[in-house]
Amino acid sequence: MNNKKTLVEHAWDETEGTACPICGNKKWDVGEETYILSGTGTGSAEVACAKCTNCGFVALFAET
């Protein structure tokens, strides 16, 4: 659970005051959930998401 909290905090920190690369909007909706992404032969990663409130662009954040 601590990793989940860290990921969500990271997403908040990275998007605060940051413009969306698509539309330039600086407001983001950061979810409280994390998701597991998996790739063929590469393992998996837990990510947090932030969605632009204007155009819907989704940014993913993962800890390395």
Side-chain angles (χ1 to χ4, degrees):
M1 282 298 170
N2 192 29
N3 190 41
K4 178 180 175 177
K5 182 179 177 184
T6 301
L7 284 170
V8 172
E9 288 175 358
H10 179 69
W12 275 109
D13 292 344
E14 289 294 319
T15 56
E16 187 175 349
T18 301
C20 171
I22 304 298
C23 70
N25 180 47
K26 291 187 177 183
K27 292 189 180 187
W28 297 86
D29 180 20
V30 178
E32 295 296 322
E33 295 298 318
T34 58
Y35 304 91
I36 303 294
L37 298 182
S38 61
T40 304
T42 60
S44 63
E46 187 173 16
V47 298
C49 301
K51 181 179 176 184
C52 174
T53 60
N54 184 52
C55 72
F57 174 79
V58 175
L60 302 176
F61 300 90
E63 294 291 325
T64 56

